Amino acid sequence: MKKIFIAGHRGLVGSGLKRLYDALDDWEVIVRRRQEVDLSDTDATLAFLKEEKPDVVIDAAAKVGGIHANNEYPVEFLLQNLQIQNSLISGAYGAGVSKLLF
């Protein structure tokens, strides 16, 4: 059985991917909420991926807000999202994940 970590499993894209992989018998789906693993924390992300050892990581995670929040804090959103992406890419590489969908 292959293991897949879907980062951002509660969002539009991530929730659809979670439903898809949950329906497949040969995949174990791994998900974590923000309160469980802070994906903007590089060390925490690496430790989590080393512990879980997923074969695949799908990155559908992002800090999102409404139109007002995105207009008021565009740089803050961008920087937070870049940190999440960097942590996942670096963590997947460091944990020996064979495939990363970014």
Side-chain angles (χ1 to χ4, degrees):
M1 178 172 290
K2 292 183 182 178
K3 293 173 76 173
I4 186 168
F5 171 55
I6 302 174
H9 71 282
R10 297 179 68 209
L12 179 68
V13 173
S15 64
L17 290 167
K18 183 178 181 314
R19 283 191 305 275
L20 173 74
Y21 280 94
D22 277 341
L24 301 174
D25 292 333
D26 53 341
W27 287 93
E28 177 185 344
V29 178
I30 304 165
V31 296
R32 292 294 185 277
R33 297 182 73 182
R34 185 178 308 129
Q35 296 85 350
E36 297 170 300
V37 177
D38 178 2
L39 296 177
S40 66
D41 180 333
T42 303
D43 293 334
T45 303
L46 175 60
F48 163 71
L49 293 173
K50 280 185 172 182
E51 180 181 325
E52 289 295 331
K53 297 178 177 59
D55 299 291
V56 177
V57 170
I58 294 181
D59 180 5
K63 178 181 175 90
V64 295
I67 293 170
H68 178 72
N70 290 336
N71 284 333
E72 289 294 312
Y73 306 104
V75 174
E76 292 84 349
F77 276 70
L78 177 62
L79 291 174
Q80 180 76 24
N81 287 324
L82 287 170
Q83 184 59 43
I84 291 168
Q85 311 327 309
N86 288 342
S87 291
L88 282 168
I89 293 167
S90 176
Y93 176 75
V97 173
S98 61
K99 291 186 182 181
L100 169 72
L101 177 61
F102 173 62

